[in-house]
Amino acid sequence: MNELNICPICGGTFEEKSIQLDFRYKGRLIVIEGVPAQVCKDCGEQLISARTSKDIEALLDSDIKPIKQINVPVLPFRHIAQA
Ligand SMILES: [Zn+2]
C-alpha cells in the first residue's frame, strides 16, 4: 500500500473526499467548497495535494464571483468555567 494512504497522526486509512476549507485572505474570510482531499477515516486528519494547494492559491488570486455569501458568527472571548 502507498504510504501516503496511511494517516501520520493515527495510522488510519485515508479516503478521497470533497471538503470545505476556510481561509483568511487579504483580511477577508473565504470559504472554498468541493476541495478534493484525503481525509482520515479514523481521526479526520485532512491532506491536500500540492497540486490542489496551487489551484486554491490561483482561485484566491482570481476574481471569480462567489456562488453564495454566508453569515459567520463572531463571539467576544470570555473565560468559561469548565465543568
Ligand atoms: Zn488519522
Side-chain angles (χ1 to χ4, degrees), residues 35-37 48-57:
V35 178
I48 291 161
S49 71
R51 172 70 209 276
T52 300
S53 299
K54 278 218 152 68
D55 287 347
I56 289 170
E57 279 174 38

Side-chain angles (χ1 to χ4, degrees), residues 15-21 32-39 46-48 52:
E15 61 183 341
E16 185 89 29
K17 272 196 174 173
S18 174
I19 63 168
Q20 176 177 294
L21 291 175
I32 302 183
E33 285 185 337
V35 178
Q38 300 289 325
V39 180
Q46 298 173 345
L47 282 189
I48 291 161
T52 300

Side-chain angles (χ1 to χ4, degrees), residues 6-14 39-46:
I6 302 295
C7 175
I9 311 288
C10 74
T13 319
F14 281 115
V39 180
C40 176
K41 287 178 187 170
D42 294 323
C43 75
E45 173 76 0
Q46 298 173 345

